[in-house]
Amino acid sequence: MKVKNKKKITNKIIALFISILIVSITFTISFSLSSSVVKADEQFGCCELTRTELICQETERGNCQSGFHSGQACSQINSCRPGTCVPPYGRCMPQKTRQECEAVEGFWTSEQMESIVVCQEGCCGIAEGIKAEVLQKKECTELAIRLGYTVEDIEFDTSITSQTECFKKYATQDRGCCVLGGGQCSYSIRESCTNLGGNFVPLAGDKYCKDVTACAAKSHAYYDCGNLPGTEFDIYWFDSQGSQEDVYDDCNYPISICTEYETGEVECKGTTCEVIGIAQEIIEYTDKNGFLKIASGDKPPLVKTDDVNEFLLTGQSTCYNFFSHFDGIEDNGLYGKSTGLQNQILHCRLGDLEIEGLGTDREKLCFVAEQGTPTQHASVHENEWEECTSCGSGGGIFGVGDLFGPFPPMGKILNGLLADYCEPESCNDAGDCVYHEDYPSFFGLSTRIGSCNPKYPPGTVEACHECGRGGDGLWNICDKSECASLGDCQFRPASIWEGMAWGIIITLVATYMIKINFIPAEFVLCTAGSIFPGCNPLELVADRWNRYAKGPIGPFVGMLSFWDSKSTVGRTLGIITSAAGAIGAITTIMGFFKK
Amino acid sequence: MLVKSKRGQVTTFIIIAIVIVAVALFIIFLRPRITDLFMSEQRATELLASQVEPIRDAVADCVSESSQDFFITTALQGGNYDPGSLPRIYLAGQEYVVVMYKDSNMVRVNKLPMTSSIELDYINFLEGEGYIKIDECLNNFDSFKRNVDIELGQRKITADIHDEIIIFNVDWPLTIKKQTITKTITQQVTQKQAQFLMPFGNLWQVAADIVECESQVDCDFEGVKIDEYIWDYPQLLKYISFTSSSVDENNIAWILESQPYRENEEKYQFYFGIMREYEG
């Protein structure tokens, strides 16, 4: 007895020890894991000065020379907060850190740039237009001083922020010839002549320094772009002393503009841009109610190629869009992808086209606004495609109604009662979506079979698995057209065996559903008594229940009854049938996702 | 006895011949120095004066040549000679240094350097490798030292970034000397400005305008905003072209390129990236 008791106590002690060991190991492991997470955080943060002399950078501790703030963003550190920097020379800059600003001996403030007077932009006119440019006020002052003028010689107009308008403002200033002595002359504005210490000789429209006796200039020595305010866009003659004379060529800006080339040539370069190319356009039909849809199938193209041939003026822009590889041209079974295609904006800049790519993810769309007008421009919109595939999902009782939808005569009604279905109207309302119709409604007695998909295919693959699914995915079949609309997806046609298997299943289920759909109609007619004389509605319902509900469900119920059996054989059969059912269910689910 | 006497005479002539050849060689190689030694003061002054412009030109050319890499590299890296740990966008095999992004606190940060910062960076570049490049280019004035003696003063070179050009202010006093028989003639050489035909200021200006818009909450430099910019600033954009490529809607790479319009001017690029959202 004593030995037994001793053994019991020993076992208890061992069990207690092992329990304590397990608990302490658990704590140790959890602490060490969490501490490694803490360490990772500690290694990254804001550095006031990096080893490469960069100021206020978010980086790792090892890269930091001084002032490391672990786990903090630089904007949380006082000396690294972004604000407006007013440097001693040059333009004000927004969102610069205090340290960067002070490193160049600038003045930093947390105020927005627009509210700081010296940082406001406007038309800067110096000496009544000897120089006219859109600058910040402080830049204007610095320029005036650099040119030898004073603050009093400055005129600053914040209402003008366009360079062209600024030039125009000072184009009509009093001009003449500034005689400097010794035969030297300069065609300029009165104010600048005073500063040069010369004698200003006012000149009428077609008179120049060559017409002034005291000037030894040779007229029409060369031509170049004008250098007086308001003349920069045209070509002028210059005399041998560099004084501007009469017009050589009026470029008639904005039609053309004076342009110099490295060869020394000067010409009026046209500012219009010719756009020639091939872009894409989405093909869309509308149903009889005016809602967008696309006829689904294997062949029909999602997009068509569109010849682009237009002229743009400077400051205008147009769209150059590419949505999908699937343009209806046979790809020899290669099933090409749309990866890399993007929408682009073409801007016309003084005769040259500038390209603005909107991204290969095709999250941004380009539409032309005010087409054909002088203010034509390409505008950017977000591609709202994310909600498309959820059209028709939910509603009713677990979406059961989708089973009945495509089958007349009660399909539409039953679907409406028991679930939700997607129509072109609701699809169009879901965003930038279009309805892909596989099969139309049967005289309004059934729902359509199809899907709601992105109208402009996004440049991702995250929606590819939605092919053949969606809100009404039960009867939707993935086809080439739907696949192409979902993104950079590649369509793989089903094998002949897969096709046959699905065909059999769909046929069986469709047959079953059609029969179910007729039951309410049969009940109504039976109740009316006119078609089926002697028909008892209750017997009809019981009969249909036995045939189409209890019948198919019966075997499953039967299988379950084996499990309840007390005998070994019964239980064994119950286990086998349940396992078979489970395997079948898992296989079905896996196949569903694989699809 | 007669043979011995003849041999002795020949030896004498050989010695005389060696001496004559040695003296001739001496004269040939040291003639310039001898001539210099007997050079008049006027001649020495003229010689020094004739060396001034070539020395100034050589210094200006070497300063310009040695500095070009700094500005070209800086322009390709969003205004940073050494971008360090600034974020990058990679697109089509090219790296773009991001100069506007959101930090981990979702605050927009403008990392485009001011032109005054770039000018300071240039001074650091000179201290680090620039002066070495200049000295290598000048080859220690060896070609001039054949004619004159050169004494180097303390040098200080700075850069001014203008719209159409970069001007280098070279403060490097040199003293060139020429020794004559009576005294040493000296001449001070003050350097002239050097220049680099790169419209860095204009390229930076366009970049700054883009970054200024993007760093505001409700401004994306795209679409009609670009059209308005082209319309408002034709003079600035006459010789600057730009292209933007979006990696996705939040990451944009910008390529600005100057179009040469002056003799000997080349094309230059200014690359930078914009990140509109925090990337972690």
Side-chain angles (χ1 to χ4, degrees):
Chain A
M1 267 311 267
K2 268 190 181 172
V3 171
K4 261 191 182 171
N5 279 342
K6 242 189 180 173
K7 209 176 177 182
K8 259 190 186 171
I9 292 166
T10 312
N11 285 342
K12 277 186 182 170
I13 292 168
I14 292 169
L16 191 63
F17 173 73
I18 290 170
S19 304
I20 293 168
L21 194 66
I22 289 168
V23 168
S24 59
I25 287 170
T26 308
F27 272 106
T28 309
I29 290 169
S30 64
F31 271 130
S32 64
L33 282 174
S34 64
S35 66
S36 70
V37 168
V38 168
K39 277 183 187 164
D41 284 346
E42 284 180 348
Q43 294 306 316
F44 197 85
C46 178
C47 173
E48 291 184 35
L49 184 67
T50 69
R51 293 192 190 283
T52 52
E53 309 278 321
L54 286 177
I55 296 172
C56 295
Q57 280 294 121
E58 287 185 19
T59 186
E60 290 174 1
R61 185 191 287 273
N63 293 334
C64 192
Q65 191 183 132
S66 66
F68 184 74
H69 302 267
S70 158
Q72 286 187 290
C74 283
S75 52
Q76 295 172 301
I77 310 302
N78 197 37
S79 59
C80 293
R81 262 198 309 138
T84 302
C85 179
V86 185
Y89 298 104
R91 58 188 285 133
C92 304
M93 291 187 76
Q95 301 302 105
K96 298 297 281 182
T97 62
R98 183 198 284 269
Q99 277 211 33
E100 278 179 275
C101 191
E102 288 172 356
V104 295
E105 295 173 5
F107 166 72
W108 182 91
T109 173
S110 58
E111 283 179 50
Q112 294 294 312
M113 202 167 79
E114 297 74 36
S115 60
I116 302 169
V117 174
V118 295
C119 298
Q120 287 172 353
E121 221 169 50
C123 176
C124 167
I126 299 172
E128 293 181 19
I130 187 66
K131 189 77 177 171
E133 211 173 316
V134 171
L135 297 168
Q136 292 177 355
K137 192 161 188 188
K138 73 181 291 290
E139 286 182 296
C140 182
T141 308
E142 287 158 18
L143 179 61
I145 292 167
R146 209 158 57 232
L147 293 175
Y149 297 95
T150 64
V151 176
E152 284 76 32
D153 298 315
I154 294 171
E155 200 177 87
F156 193 77
D157 186 350
T158 53
S159 67
I160 297 175
T161 54
S162 157
Q163 190 66 66
T164 315
E165 296 304 313
C166 191
F167 284 162
K168 275 185 195 167
K169 181 178 175 179
Y170 292 97
T172 55
Q173 297 303 308
D174 184 17
R175 289 182 184 148
C177 188
C178 185
V179 180
L180 300 166
Q184 293 294 311
C185 298
S186 170
Y187 184 70
S188 64
I189 292 162
R190 182 189 293 275
E191 183 68 33
S192 70
C193 187
T194 310
N195 285 308
L196 289 169
N199 285 325
F200 185 75
V201 178
L203 297 169
D206 60 347
K207 301 290 181 196
Y208 298 93
C209 286
K210 65 176 173 69
D211 301 306
V212 177
T213 316
C215 299
K218 185 184 168 191
S219 177
H220 287 198
Y222 64 95
Y223 54 84
D224 203 341
C225 296
N227 56 19
L228 293 173
T231 68
E232 294 88 346
F233 298 150
D234 301 316
I235 304 177
Y236 285 81
W237 282 110
F238 288 77
D239 66 27
S240 55
Q241 291 180 0
S243 294
Q244 190 166 316
E245 295 184 308
D246 51 319
V247 165
Y248 171 82
D249 196 349
D250 183 358
C251 297
N252 202 12
Y253 181 79
I255 295 173
S256 56
I257 188 171
C258 180
T259 305
E260 297 171 67
Y261 298 95
E262 58 199 295
T263 51
E265 203 184 317
V266 179
E267 67 167 9
C268 287
K269 183 185 169 196
T271 61
T272 56
C273 305
E274 192 179 7
V275 183
I276 297 176
I278 299 174
Q280 287 183 345
E281 189 184 292
I282 296 286
I283 295 177
E284 52 199 44
Y285 308 98
T286 53
D287 68 3
K288 61 180 187 312
N289 298 317
F291 296 106
L292 293 171
K293 72 174 188 183
I294 287 177
S296 261
D298 187 46
K299 284 257 189 203
L302 183 66
V303 297
K304 65 172 184 177
T305 52
D306 191 28
D307 287 329
V308 177
N309 192 342
E310 62 179 302
F311 283 91
L312 297 174
L313 302 175
T314 278
Q316 288 186 330
S317 54
T318 192
C319 299
Y320 201 56
N321 292 329
F322 293 91
F323 303 105
S324 170
H325 168 85
F326 188 39
D327 57 5
I329 298 170
E330 274 302 327
D331 53 15
N332 298 319
L334 292 174
Y335 304 113
K337 285 177 120 172
S338 303
T339 310
L341 297 179
Q342 62 175 321
N343 303 317
Q344 295 162 101
I345 299 177
L346 304 180
H347 299 273
C348 182
R349 177 196 61 83
L350 301 170
D352 295 318
L353 277 174
E354 307 294 2
I355 300 170
E356 181 190 352
L358 297 179
T360 54
D361 60 353
R362 299 196 289 273
E363 291 289 342
K364 293 198 167 176
L365 304 172
C366 177
F367 299 101
V368 178
E370 299 175 55
Q371 180 128 32
T373 70
T375 50
Q376 171 184 318
H377 61 271
S379 67
V380 179
H381 295 268
E382 298 291 324
N383 185 359
E384 293 171 359
W385 63 270
E386 288 85 356
E387 298 302 319
C388 296
T389 52
S390 60
C391 176
S393 61
I397 307 166
F398 307 115
V400 166
D402 284 352
L403 273 172
F404 306 102
F407 307 104
M410 301 298 292
K412 197 163 185 176
I413 295 170
L414 286 173
N415 198 337
L417 286 172
L418 300 173
D420 195 5
Y421 58 88
C422 190
E423 286 280 309
E425 180 184 356
S426 49
C427 178
N428 290 175
D429 289 342
D432 290 313
C433 312
V434 66
Y435 190 79
H436 274 74
E437 187 177 80
D438 293 329
Y439 294 102
S441 168
F442 184 80
F443 295 104
L445 297 176
S446 64
T447 60
R448 303 168 199 258
I449 296 178
S451 57
C452 181
N453 301 120
K455 185 177 170 189
Y456 307 103
T460 64
V461 294
E462 59 188 73
C464 293
H465 68 280
E466 291 287 337
C467 192
R469 295 184 190 173
D472 296 332
L474 208 56
W475 296 102
N476 183 26
I477 296 173
C478 180
D479 60 21
K480 216 182 210 179
S481 172
E482 184 185 347
C483 181
S485 69
L486 286 167
D488 292 337
C489 311
Q490 194 153 11
F491 181 75
R492 180 186 66 81
S495 68
I496 191 165
W497 300 111
E498 278 177 313
M500 274 177 63
W502 278 112
I504 291 167
I505 292 169
I506 288 170
T507 305
L508 286 172
V509 176
T511 310
Y512 183 81
M513 286 298 144
I514 288 170
K515 289 181 187 290
I516 298 283
N517 267 354
F518 269 101
I519 292 173
E522 285 177 308
F523 180 82
V524 168
L525 292 170
C526 186
T527 306
S530 56
I531 302 293
F532 302 108
C535 174
N536 185 330
L538 292 174
E539 281 178 12
L540 177 77
V541 169
D543 173 64
R544 299 299 185 264
W545 169 258
N546 287 334
R547 268 205 261 175
Y548 299 119
K550 196 177 169 188
I553 296 170
F556 290 101
V557 173
M559 279 184 231
L560 287 173
S561 71
F562 277 116
W563 184 252
D564 285 333
S565 170
K566 292 226 179 344
S567 73
T568 312
V569 172
R571 280 195 177 176
T572 308
L573 282 169
I575 292 166
I576 291 167
T577 50
S578 297
I583 290 167
I586 290 165
T587 311
T588 306
I589 292 165
M590 284 174 64
F592 180 80
F593 281 109
K594 198 176 167 188
K595 178 185 159 194
Chain B
M1 286 296 274
L2 190 61
V3 171
K4 265 192 184 172
S5 154
K6 274 191 180 171
R7 201 180 287 165
Q9 286 177 355
V10 167
T11 305
T12 310
F13 282 113
I14 289 170
I15 292 167
I16 292 167
I18 290 170
V19 168
I20 291 169
V21 167
V23 167
L25 286 171
F26 182 80
I27 290 169
I28 288 167
F29 284 110
L30 295 179
R31 185 178 169 226
R33 288 198 179 269
I34 296 168
T35 313
D36 287 351
L37 202 60
F38 292 100
M39 188 185 286
S40 68
E41 283 179 26
Q42 187 187 345
R43 178 79 186 94
T45 306
E46 285 168 3
L47 177 67
L48 288 175
S50 71
Q51 295 296 293
V52 169
E53 275 313 304
I55 287 173
R56 295 175 83 204
D57 287 343
V59 169
D61 289 344
C62 281
V63 166
S64 176
E65 204 179 291
S66 306
S67 305
Q68 287 181 18
D69 271 350
F70 169 83
F71 287 98
I72 292 171
T73 303
T74 297
L76 290 174
Q77 297 183 148
N80 299 275
Y81 185 64
D82 184 352
S85 56
L86 279 173
R88 311 287 208 272
I89 289 174
Y90 298 93
L91 187 65
Q94 178 66 45
E95 182 182 279
Y96 298 85
V97 175
V98 174
V99 294
M100 202 298 292
Y101 58 88
K102 271 188 181 171
D103 71 2
S104 52
N105 206 26
M106 302 301 159
V107 173
R108 285 176 176 78
V109 179
N110 178 355
K111 285 293 183 184
L112 181 72
M114 291 172 275
T115 51
S116 42
S117 293
I118 298 171
E119 288 164 357
L120 282 175
D121 262 353
Y122 172 69
I123 293 171
N124 292 334
F125 158 78
L126 287 175
E127 297 290 337
E129 53 191 286
Y131 284 135
I132 295 168
K133 284 188 177 181
I134 293 169
D135 292 339
E136 280 172 4
C137 173
L138 288 168
N139 201 24
N140 207 27
F141 294 100
D142 279 353
S143 60
F144 297 100
K145 284 179 178 173
R146 267 185 257 148
N147 297 321
V148 296
D149 295 323
I150 300 179
E151 193 177 289
L152 308 177
Q154 196 73 14
R155 65 183 160 185
K156 185 186 173 192
I157 302 173
T158 58
D160 284 338
I161 296 170
H162 295 270
D163 292 346
E164 312 269 352
I165 201 169
I166 299 171
I167 302 287
F168 301 103
N169 304 301
V170 185
D171 179 10
W172 193 9
L174 305 180
T175 307
I176 52 175
K177 299 176 184 175
K178 195 67 196 171
Q179 184 74 43
T180 66
I181 200 159
T182 51
K183 65 181 204 179
T184 304
I185 310 294
T186 62
Q187 169 97 48
Q188 296 297 320
V189 178
T190 50
Q191 307 300 338
K192 63 180 181 183
Q193 286 179 334
Q195 64 184 39
F196 177 28
L197 272 184
M198 179 185 183
F200 194 101
N202 280 342
L203 287 166
W204 180 90
Q205 179 72 56
V206 175
D209 287 336
I210 294 170
V211 170
E212 191 178 304
C213 169
E214 292 281 353
S215 60
Q216 293 171 35
V217 172
D218 54 357
C219 186
D220 288 339
F221 200 82
E222 63 185 19
V224 69
K225 199 84 187 154
I226 295 178
D227 291 331
E228 286 169 0
Y229 189 68
I230 292 170
W231 185 250
D232 284 343
Y233 297 97
Q235 196 68 356
L236 172 63
L237 297 174
K238 206 156 66 158
Y239 303 113
I240 306 271
S241 72
F242 53 82
T243 306
S244 72
S245 292
S246 298
V247 176
D248 53 51
E249 61 177 334
N250 293 320
N251 295 298
I252 300 117
W254 280 94
I255 302 158
L256 312 181
E257 189 172 76
S258 67
Q259 291 170 356
Y261 67 95
R262 296 166 289 189
E263 199 181 340
N264 299 324
E265 185 182 357
E266 293 182 21
K267 275 188 190 182
Y268 298 103
Q269 291 83 27
F270 196 106
Y271 292 167
F272 63 97
I274 300 284
M275 277 183 178
R276 290 176 178 158
E277 290 300 327
Y278 176 61
E279 294 281 321

